[in-house]
Amino acid sequence: MSIILKIAFRNLILNRKRFFLIGSTIFLSSLMLLVSSAAINGVQTQILKSYINLQSGHITIVREEMKKVSDLDPMRLLFLKNGNYDPEKFYLDEKAQKRLNDYVDKYKDEIKAFFPSIRGGAQLITDDISDAMLSVYGLSEDNAKFLTDTQTVSTEEGKLLSDEDYSICICKEKAVSDNLKLGDKVKIGVVTHGGKRKELAFTIRGIYSKGAGYDAFYGFVSEKNARELFEAKQGYFDTARIYMKDINKSVKFAGDLDKYLMKESNLFRAESYFQASAFYTNLALILKTFFTVFIIILLCIIAVGLRSSIRMNLYERMKEFGTIRSIGYSRLQSFFIIFMEIFLLALIFLFFAFVISFVLILILGNTGINVGSGPMSYAMGGEIFYPEMKPGDVLFALAAIIVFVMASTIGPGLKLCYQNITDIMMKRQKRVYLTVELARSLGGMIKGIFTRSKMKSKGLQKT
């Protein structure tokens, strides 16, 4: 094998034109595959970060009414549909809350954070406009700190959670579209948990920068003000988010918690972030699959062109391989020389593609890629995303290139190797049916194995 490698490497060095022509094709294909995979990794991380930190947590506690809303609805946890609250049945709520709190306390060593919150759809009202697309989000101090520390919400002006009563933080996009600025007074209208229409006056004390398009609807207020606005009793919450120390335990933990809660009543249900929304968890996966399929189709098209180039190159080098065969190299060894030439070439240029893409992703991972506002921000999880490279993507690129090399060499290489030595030396190519020849060779190998086994057994009998 070492001699075959030396011959293959010598052939690469001697034919520099072929080296750079085929190599540049492999380099560009590998670069596209690595960079696109890293870009989609960044998109996936960004979509899940916003969704998990703002909407679901690793595990979300929802009310029974929410189980009727499809997990394919992107607004499922954004504008909660919990129905009307019955104050006369609050004692049932208190029992369910106590049961949940006991479970959280029991497994506090596995839980990193627990944030119950008051949330609901609302209407932002001024003298000039009435904007119904607002989701009031009640924040405790711990919850606000969590969103700030994880950089899930970044304020451009003012504070996310002001010290002043009746303060609200809205998205920059909403501030621009509704012609609002810091210090402006607005009214927030809601339907309370008791089913009544209610309005409260708030002052804009913060404006946060938009992430994805679906992150522009929040109006962050203090938990105290949210409770007053929706007329929710102390202890009541619309939804709660649980964050595990190990996210990989979230699915099992959610299943166990849901069974525990259902033993007493069906008021609360537990869902992992996978269950809570198929839309957000599958969006990035669909994008990655789409881009990967696109790159693989492109590689297949390139492989067809490369196959033709290899066939022409091998035709020009027929005497070289005729000489190799005439000095005792088998068909298989001759094919391996052809294969190893392209394989070594692919590895060299895959390495260059990896180095270039690694440096590029390192830079873009810090600066980010700006896709702007509009529909693209919905698909990319925000106006800016940060590519990241994963080991699995490098291994996938290597596997794709190996398949790419085999698809390019197996036809022309084997057809040359199955020519007669005299025909190869005379640069004559006869039609070769690879399936027939390979079946014949395989049959010969099997027959040889049985013959040797039979002779060996006879020899043992004689002995």
Side-chain angles (χ1 to χ4, degrees):
M1 182 59 76
S2 62
I3 295 174
I4 290 173
L5 279 171
K6 286 178 182 177
I7 294 171
F9 189 72
R10 178 192 66 87
N11 290 344
L12 285 180
I13 300 301
L14 290 177
N15 198 331
R16 293 183 182 179
K17 183 179 178 182
R18 181 169 60 97
F19 180 83
F20 286 106
L21 181 66
I22 298 175
S24 60
T25 305
I26 295 171
F27 171 78
L28 289 172
S29 304
S30 304
L31 189 67
M32 287 177 65
L33 191 59
L34 289 168
V35 171
S36 65
S37 295
I40 298 303
N41 288 338
V43 170
Q44 185 176 35
T45 298
Q46 181 140 298
I47 290 172
L48 289 179
K49 176 185 174 182
S50 172
Y51 162 63
I52 289 173
N53 289 349
L54 275 171
Q55 296 188 40
S56 70
H58 296 156
I59 297 151
T60 183
I61 309 298
V62 296
R63 293 184 173 271
E64 179 60 24
E65 293 88 344
M66 286 293 295
K67 297 297 287 184
K68 300 171 187 175
V69 182
S70 170
D71 61 356
L72 291 171
D73 185 351
M75 301 296 182
R76 183 175 187 258
L77 296 178
L78 184 56
F79 293 96
L80 296 177
K81 300 172 184 176
N82 284 332
N84 291 336
Y85 164 64
D86 187 351
E88 294 181 3
K89 295 182 179 178
F90 185 68
Y91 71 96
L92 293 175
D93 225 87
E94 284 182 318
K95 286 180 70 177
Q97 290 166 33
K98 186 179 183 307
R99 192 169 174 80
L100 173 62
N101 290 332
D102 288 344
Y103 196 90
V104 170
D105 190 57
K106 182 181 177 181
Y107 292 96
K108 62 184 177 183
D109 292 339
E110 295 181 38
I111 295 172
K112 182 167 63 176
F114 174 58
F115 299 125
S117 58
I118 301 292
R119 285 168 53 191
Q123 194 173 16
L124 188 149
I125 305 163
T126 69
D127 293 336
D128 302 320
I129 55 98
S130 178
D131 188 343
M133 295 299 285
L134 184 73
S135 178
V136 170
Y137 199 122
L139 288 177
S140 64
E141 288 185 8
D142 288 344
N143 199 348
K145 187 176 184 301
F146 171 79
L147 295 178
T148 305
D149 290 347
T150 55
Q151 297 181 336
T152 306
V153 180
S154 301
T155 52
E156 291 199 2
E157 299 178 63
K159 291 182 178 180
L160 175 62
L161 187 60
S162 174
D163 298 330
E164 298 180 40
D165 246 359
Y166 305 109
S167 299
I168 187 168
C169 180
I170 63 171
C171 180
K172 183 181 179 181
E173 184 179 275
K174 191 169 286 292
V176 171
S177 64
D178 294 348
N179 196 25
L180 297 169
K181 60 183 183 301
L182 220 61
D184 283 355
K185 293 191 179 295
V186 296
K187 285 183 180 179
I188 304 298
V190 299
V191 175
T192 67
H193 291 154
K196 298 184 296 181
R197 172 74 186 176
K198 183 175 180 178
E199 292 181 3
L200 273 181
F202 284 81
T203 304
I204 298 173
R205 298 294 182 192
I207 294 175
Y208 68 92
S209 53
K210 190 188 81 171
Y214 38 78
D215 292 333
F217 300 112
Y218 296 111
F220 296 104
V221 302
S222 69
E223 184 180 348
K224 175 189 169 185
N225 292 156
R227 199 170 291 283
E228 181 184 348
L229 181 64
F230 286 99
E231 295 184 352
K233 287 190 177 182
Q234 195 63 35
Y236 178 91
F237 59 84
D238 292 302
T239 183
R241 307 185 330 273
I242 296 175
Y243 293 90
M244 306 293 294
K245 289 178 180 176
D246 182 1
I247 190 174
N248 296 317
K249 294 182 178 179
S250 57
V251 174
K252 184 179 183 306
F253 192 93
D256 293 341
L257 177 55
D258 190 53
K259 289 176 185 175
Y260 172 82
L261 294 172
M262 288 289 286
K263 284 180 182 178
E264 182 98 356
S265 71
N266 62 355
L267 281 176
F268 295 153
R269 300 295 301 274
E271 300 175 336
S272 71
Y273 67 96
F274 279 109
Q275 294 171 296
S277 177
F279 174 81
Y280 294 103
T281 51
N282 289 327
L283 178 59
L285 184 63
I286 292 167
L287 283 171
K288 187 164 188 174
T289 304
F290 172 79
F291 276 97
T292 303
V293 168
F294 171 76
I295 295 295
I296 288 173
I297 291 172
L298 184 63
L299 281 173
C300 291
I301 294 169
I302 293 170
V304 171
L306 187 58
R307 188 173 180 272
S308 300
S309 300
I310 291 170
R311 186 169 62 242
M312 291 299 295
N313 179 263
L314 291 177
Y315 178 77
E316 293 172 1
R317 298 167 59 201
M318 283 183 73
K319 285 188 177 181
E320 176 188 328
F321 284 98
T323 305
I324 288 171
R325 288 285 309 284
S326 65
I327 61 175
Y329 280 81
S330 66
R331 290 189 176 101
L332 187 61
Q333 287 173 318
S334 300
F335 173 74
F336 266 114
I337 291 171
I338 297 167
F339 175 80
M340 289 309 298
E341 282 182 26
I342 307 300
F343 183 63
L344 287 172
L345 191 62
L347 286 183
I348 291 167
F349 281 92
L350 177 60
F351 174 75
F352 288 140
F354 170 75
V355 171
I356 298 296
S357 60
F358 181 79
V359 173
L360 188 64
I361 291 159
L362 200 63
I363 295 168
L364 293 174
N366 289 317
T367 62
I369 299 174
N370 196 325
V371 296
S373 58
M376 283 299 289
S377 72
Y378 284 80
M380 300 300 174
E383 295 181 4
I384 301 174
F385 69 91
Y386 301 87
E388 55 184 82
M389 186 178 285
K390 294 182 180 178
D393 296 320
V394 179
L395 293 174
F396 178 78
L398 177 62
I401 292 300
I402 290 172
V403 173
F404 172 77
V405 170
M406 289 192 70
S408 304
T409 57
I410 198 165
L414 286 176
K415 281 183 180 179
L416 175 64
C417 294
Y418 274 99
Q419 300 288 334
N420 293 325
I421 296 176
T422 51
D423 289 331
I424 297 174
M425 295 298 289
M426 297 296 293
K427 294 190 75 172
R428 291 195 303 254
Q429 269 195 324
K430 293 183 178 179
R431 183 182 291 274
V432 174
Y433 297 97
L434 280 181
T435 307
V436 175
E437 294 296 340
L438 288 171
R440 189 180 296 167
S441 296
L442 184 62
M445 285 174 63
I446 294 169
K447 185 178 178 182
I449 291 168
F450 275 112
T451 303
R452 284 194 295 272
S453 177
K454 193 174 180 181
M455 289 176 66
K456 189 175 180 181
S457 63
K458 281 183 179 180
L460 288 171
Q461 287 174 2
K462 285 179 181 179
T463 303

